């Protein structure tokens, strides 16, 4: 960020905030639209986080009030942001007068915390680079926005807010206009909007939530946007601790929804389903599947203690994935990623290289221990009979569970394999990096 203020996500915001959070609330179907109800929503917003959210609400209103923007511009962007749900001029107020009332609500709430509170001078964002970036995105979407909204010169009014009042608020008002009018946003532009929002310090939800994104087809072969682990090895992590307030199936259902903000809905379910189907194919023994699950979860969910075989459990996992994909990506057609040429032998060498260390360890040594040698034998099976990619991910997970030390040379080879399998750089960082014995 290029000005002195904390990023909004650092302040604890996970979604929209300030004036645009208020306009979003007013735009919801069934919301009362009179001045009293609208002010009530403003008071509720200002009261969040023990009154701290009143700061952004008041600051946004005063940025517009401190500008020289004409009433026509203020009125147009307000209506666009609310989807025409509440028009202050229909209740005998100018838009400036309405913004004054919002500012007063904010100040009154902050004075409950500190009686002497006086609103500070506004701090508009006028960074020319950010202004130009927002205007560029506005102009890209101008035809679709102008077609979707009956408001005259809406695009011009939004641009005036960006250049004449505040680029930060102008960006959020652009997003609100797109959301309120259900304007389709191409995937490429969505990525740019997320990146631009990050420069303003917005949480991803402030961009993503409510936006009509034109997602590309779900593809398990594409790993763009994945941070850290994924698929079956990631699911196993979900069962190491803290999942017991859900049933096992509910835990899987929650895991398959973890697509993040940058992947098409259903992406994690597709990757997990591909992993699961490969393991379920004939060739891998049921005992090996059970051992791999118990090791990867560090016995967090001991299926063998509940009379559930590894194959039976993964069939349940596959069912949950298929149910979710039917709901969010009905056109999805499973397609296994192409194999990494020669990687099978390399993964096998790394498994065998760790086997002597693993031989003296056990998964869950104090509760139905699982010998390290048994786990490494199962890893060899999956790397040679199923998929070296998944075998390598489960090896990383086993090394992490058993806390096996790594040499710098081993870690360098792991990095090369991770790059070949197109893992995100965080994959190793958050799994085994801390186990490297660096000199």
């Amino acid at each position: 960020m290029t000005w002195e203020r904390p990023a909004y996500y650092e302040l604890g915001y996970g979604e929209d905030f300030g004036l645009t959070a208020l306009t979003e609330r007013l735009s919801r179907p069934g919301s009362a639209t009179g001045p009293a109800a609208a002010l009530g929503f403003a008071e509720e917003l200002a009261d969040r986080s023990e009154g701290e959210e009143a700061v952004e609400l008041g600051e946004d209103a005063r940025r517009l009030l401190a500008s020289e923007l004409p009433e026509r511009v203020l009125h147009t962007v307000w209506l666009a942001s609310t989807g025409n749900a509440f028009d202050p001029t229909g209740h005998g107020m100018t838009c400036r007068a309405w913004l004054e009332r919002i500012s007063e609500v904010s100040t009154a709430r902050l004075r409950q915390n500190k009686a002497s509170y006086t609103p500070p001078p506004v701090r508009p964002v006028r960074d020319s680079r950010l202004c130009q970036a927002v205007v560029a995105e506005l102009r890209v979407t101008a035809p679709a926005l102008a077609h979707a909204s009956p408001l005259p010169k809406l695009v011009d009014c939004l641009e005036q807010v960006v250049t004449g009042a505040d680029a930060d608020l102008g960006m959020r008002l652009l997003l609100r206009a797109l959301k309120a009018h259900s304007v389709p946003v191409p995937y490429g532009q969505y990525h740019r909007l997320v990146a631009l929002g990050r420069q303003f310090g917005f949480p991803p939800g402030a961009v993503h939530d409510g936006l009509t994104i034109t997602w590309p087809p779900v593809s398990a072969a594409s790993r763009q946007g994945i941070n850290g682990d994924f698929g079956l090895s990631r699911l196993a992590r979900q069962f190491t601790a803290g999942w017991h307030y859900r049933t096992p199936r509910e835990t899987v259902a929650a895991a398959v929804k973890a697509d993040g903000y940058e992947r098409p809905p259903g992406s994690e379910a597709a990757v997990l389903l591909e992993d699961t189907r490969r393991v379920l194919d004939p060739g891998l023994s049921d005992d090996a599947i059970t051992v791999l699950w118990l090791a990867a979860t560090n016995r967090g969910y001991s299926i063998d203690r509940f009379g559930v075989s590894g194959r039976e459990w993964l069939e349940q996992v596959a069912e949950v994935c298929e149910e979710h994909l039917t709901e969010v990506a009905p056109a999805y057609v499973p397609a296994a990623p192409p194999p990494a040429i020669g990687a099978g032998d390399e993964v096998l060498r790394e498994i065998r290289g760790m086997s002597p260390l693993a031989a003296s360890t056990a998964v869950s040594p104090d509760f139905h221990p699982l010998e390290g040698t048994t786990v490494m034998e199962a890893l060899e099976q999956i790397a040679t009979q199923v998929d070296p990619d998944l075998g390598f991910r489960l090896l990383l997970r086993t090394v992490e569970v058993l806390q096996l030390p790594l040499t710098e040379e081993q870690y360098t080879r792991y990095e090369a394999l991770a790059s070949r399998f197109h893992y995100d750089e965080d994959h190793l960082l958050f799994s085994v990096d801390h186990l490297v014995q660096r000199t």
Side-chain angles (χ1 to χ4, degrees):
M1 299 176 68
T2 57
W3 62 97
E4 294 183 2
R5 68 169 66 173
Y8 295 107
Y9 56 79
E10 292 176 347
L11 296 173
Y13 290 108
E15 52 190 18
D16 209 351
F17 51 87
L19 192 66
T20 45
L22 174 61
T23 58
E24 186 279 328
R25 179 66 182 84
L26 289 167
S27 70
R28 294 178 191 175
S31 295
T33 55
L39 272 183
F41 293 144
E43 289 168 353
E44 289 176 11
L45 178 63
D47 196 44
R48 291 181 189 170
S49 303
E50 298 182 347
E52 290 301 316
E53 296 196 31
V55 174
E56 278 66 48
L57 180 62
E59 172 82 6
D60 281 353
R62 290 191 299 276
R63 289 178 199 168
L64 293 177
L65 291 168
S67 73
E68 297 182 356
L69 297 176
E71 174 68 19
R72 174 186 61 82
V73 171
L74 298 178
H75 185 228
T76 299
V77 297
W78 173 265
L79 290 180
S81 185
T82 62
N84 298 311
F86 173 67
D87 184 352
T89 65
H91 300 278
M93 290 180 284
T94 64
C95 199
R96 279 192 174 273
W98 172 241
L99 291 171
E100 289 280 8
R101 296 184 73 173
I102 293 174
S103 177
E104 290 166 1
V105 165
S106 166
T107 301
R109 179 59 186 87
L110 289 166
R111 283 178 177 162
Q112 292 181 33
N113 295 347
K114 184 179 180 181
S116 62
Y117 173 81
T118 300
V122 293
R123 300 167 294 169
V125 178
R126 298 282 176 79
D127 181 281
S128 60
R129 180 181 56 83
L130 290 174
C131 287
Q132 291 169 8
V134 177
V135 169
E137 294 303 332
L138 175 58
R139 290 177 179 174
V140 165
T141 198
L145 187 55
H147 176 76
S149 172
L151 295 167
K153 297 185 176 180
L154 170 57
V155 173
D156 176 67
C157 291
L158 285 168
E159 186 169 333
Q160 288 190 55
V161 173
V162 174
T163 59
D166 181 80
D168 177 324
L169 180 55
M171 169 74 170
R172 284 184 282 126
L173 286 169
L174 164 60
L175 291 168
R176 276 299 313 144
L178 293 172
K179 295 172 184 179
H181 295 88
S182 301
V183 176
V185 176
Y187 187 49
Q189 184 182 22
Y190 168 65
H191 266 281
R192 296 196 304 272
L193 292 172
V194 170
L196 184 53
R198 192 176 298 118
Q199 293 184 61
F200 284 107
F202 300 168
V207 179
H208 171 277
D209 296 350
L211 201 63
T212 304
I213 304 162
T214 305
W215 294 105
V218 172
S219 172
S222 174
R223 293 174 179 175
Q224 182 179 6
I226 292 179
N227 293 316
D229 208 349
F230 57 90
L232 187 61
S233 50
R234 181 186 181 279
L235 176 67
R237 292 175 181 275
Q238 312 305 304
F239 282 88
T240 55
W243 66 272
H244 296 87
Y245 68 95
R246 296 185 175 115
T247 67
R249 195 179 182 96
E250 288 171 344
T251 302
V252 177
V256 300
K257 297 175 183 177
D259 299 313
Y261 291 106
E262 298 192 17
R263 292 197 288 165
S267 295
E268 183 61 30
V271 174
L272 176 57
L273 182 59
E274 292 295 342
D275 276 355
T276 304
R277 282 181 167 169
R278 282 194 287 268
V279 175
L280 286 174
D281 280 346
L284 193 63
S285 70
D286 196 30
D287 285 345
I289 297 174
T290 302
V291 165
L292 290 168
W293 175 260
L294 296 177
T297 61
N298 199 12
R299 267 205 179 274
Y301 175 38
S302 296
I303 54 177
D304 58 332
R305 308 305 300 169
F306 294 95
V308 179
S309 73
R311 193 169 293 276
E312 289 171 338
W313 168 238
L314 290 192
E315 285 171 351
Q316 293 183 48
V317 171
E319 287 176 5
V320 174
C321 293
E322 290 165 350
E323 289 170 2
H324 184 63
L325 285 163
T326 299
E327 178 183 351
V328 303
Y332 169 71
V333 177
I341 303 301
D345 290 340
E346 294 178 45
V347 173
L348 185 59
R349 280 196 297 270
E350 297 304 333
I351 293 171
R352 289 177 175 172
M354 294 305 294
S355 293
L357 279 175
S360 60
T361 66
V363 174
S364 182
D366 299 322
F367 177 75
H368 299 287
L370 187 63
E371 298 301 322
T373 299
T374 303
V375 178
M376 304 310 281
E377 290 171 352
L379 284 172
E380 286 196 24
Q381 287 188 49
I382 199 165
T384 56
Q385 300 176 29
V386 178
D387 179 50
D389 175 350
L390 179 56
F392 183 55
R393 276 184 279 134
L394 290 174
L395 168 64
L396 294 173
R397 182 69 192 130
T398 300
V399 168
E400 183 180 2
V401 167
L402 296 177
Q403 293 290 287
L404 302 178
L406 294 170
T407 66
E408 291 183 272
E409 291 77 16
Q410 282 177 307
Y411 191 70
T412 298
R413 296 196 300 270
Y414 283 14
E415 288 179 314
L417 279 168
S419 177
R420 178 176 294 191
F421 291 129
H422 307 293
Y423 298 170
D424 176 83
E425 61 183 11
D426 289 342
H427 197 126
L428 294 182
L429 180 64
F430 294 120
S431 58
V432 298
D433 182 82
H434 65 289
L435 296 172
V436 180
Q437 308 296 297
R438 294 185 170 90
T439 57

